Amino acid sequence: MSAAGSLKRLTPSRIRAMKGGAPIVCLTAYTTPMARLLDEHCDLLLVGDSLGMVLYGMESTVSVTLDMMIAHGKAVMRGVTRSCVVVDMPFGSYQESKELAYRNAVRILQETGCDAVKLEGGEEMAETIAFLTARGVPVLGHIGLMPQQVHTAGGYRSVGHSDEEVAKIRRDADAVGNSGAFAVVIEGTVETLAREVSAAIAVPTIGIGASVACDGQILVSDDMLGLFNDFTPRFVKRYDELGKRVGAAAAAYADDVRSRAFPTEEHTFKRRS
Ligand code: KIV
């Protein structure tokens, strides 16, 4: 990315200034070709640690490493000229101390050239977010359903159903919203609470399974494109059925190869005379 190119991209401050305005359009991207396809349509591209499950077939995001995130962050940066690019901090790279979080966030920013990092956590991570932002690291928060806590939460389920959960998410939104984060992802949260929190905090909320009340929306691109033929979570709208189309294309190719219908003359090199 040239200096001129990076200046044209949306910055975390510009995303922050979109609070209460036009909805902020966000998707995940993990590779250069996908980033190139999505970039012009989005305000923010997230190199999410969901790549562990989506690309690597892992059971959860817990096994994703910093090196994986940096490799995919670099790949996405090669394909982007417009969107603000945020790279997820993986499990174990920031929870232990704010100093460790800072060292690893700096590695992500320096080695990928991205604009910001995202980390999961509510009131317990607010001090870390304040430490990072005060030292030049833009941070996107992430509250509500937190996939990196799947083992302690006992699975993936929407939140905000009990009075305790409502009180906790209110405290989390307040703490992260006042920590210096430029925006907050709110995942898998009941509508009334997402609406209340979006109205209460000064920075944009980016919803995933958190209703239309948020300031922006994000989906995992592979879910939205229908690249999976199996389970689709309730909050995902499938805008295409690419999984089925990939299967049909592979079946047509296999038929052609087996019947020798491919390659034809037009795909064949001839000796130049
Ligand atoms: O890892 C990810 O893709 C995410 C989004 C789903 C918000 O955190």
Side-chain angles (χ1 to χ4, degrees):
M1 173 60 58
S2 69
S6 68
L7 286 179
K8 280 193 234 127
R9 289 211 319 279
L10 282 165
T11 59
S13 319
R14 295 230 354 241
I15 300 288
R16 159 80 184 77
M18 291 171 80
K19 174 79 185 175
I24 304 166
V25 180
C26 316
L27 282 171
T28 61
Y30 315 126
T31 63
T32 308
M34 190 59 90
R36 284 197 180 118
L37 292 171
L38 304 177
D39 183 39
E40 67 173 301
H41 307 287
C42 292
D43 300 312
L44 184 151
L45 287 179
L46 173 68
V47 187
D49 62 354
S50 51
L51 63 81
M53 299 165 84
V54 174
L55 295 187
Y56 292 90
M58 293 172 171
E59 285 286 308
S60 75
T61 58
V62 170
S63 306
V64 173
T65 65
L66 193 58
D67 287 341
M68 288 165 76
M69 295 311 302
I70 289 173
H72 286 279
K74 282 182 187 165
V76 166
M77 288 302 295
R78 287 181 205 116
V80 169
T81 59
R82 175 183 191 278
S83 304
C84 178
V85 177
V86 180
V87 175
D88 251 339
M89 298 196 72
F91 183 66
S93 71
Y94 60 93
Q95 292 91 341
E96 186 183 328
S97 69
K98 48 191 195 300
E99 289 79 10
L100 177 72
Y102 185 72
R103 278 195 297 281
N104 286 330
V106 167
R107 258 197 79 190
I108 292 174
L109 289 188
Q110 287 184 334
E111 294 183 34
T112 69
C114 74
D115 303 293
V117 298
K118 175 166 84 58
L119 57 87
E120 294 180 13
E123 49 189 346
E124 66 288 352
M125 291 311 304
E127 201 185 319
T128 297
I129 298 173
F131 188 85
L132 298 191
T133 55
R135 288 161 181 76
V137 178
V139 177
L140 176 60
H142 184 149
I143 62 170
L145 190 165
M146 293 184 263
Q148 291 180 9
Q149 297 189 12
V150 60
H151 294 311
T152 44
Y156 302 101
R157 55 167 201 88
S158 58
V159 294
H161 299 282
S162 67
D163 291 347
E164 293 71 33
E165 278 179 1
V166 169
K168 167 74 175 132
I169 290 167
R170 279 187 185 137
R171 291 199 305 275
D172 286 349
D174 184 52
V176 176
N178 287 311
S179 66
F182 69 90
V184 183
V185 168
I186 175 160
E187 178 164 357
T189 301
V190 299
E191 178 178 7
T192 43
L193 185 55
R195 187 175 294 280
E196 178 196 316
V197 157
S198 295
I201 68 174
V203 298
T205 53
I206 313 287
I208 173 163
S211 88
V212 73
C214 297
D215 297 293
Q217 297 293 328
I218 186 162
L219 283 177
V220 170
S221 297
D222 300 59
D223 286 344
M224 180 277 281
L225 293 169
L227 267 162
F228 301 111
N229 292 332
D230 45 13
F231 171 70
T232 307
R234 178 194 166 103
F235 57 84
V236 173
K237 178 172 173 183
R238 290 168 79 119
Y239 287 84
D240 207 325
E241 292 297 336
L242 291 192
K244 292 195 178 85
R245 288 166 56 174
V246 169
Y253 168 75
D255 284 350
D256 279 0
V257 170
R258 291 192 181 110
S259 65
R260 298 194 186 280
F262 174 83
T264 61
E265 287 292 293
E266 68 174 302
H267 310 113
T268 304
F269 293 107
K270 302 285 182 187
R271 186 170 174 175
R272 287 187 205 101
S273 48

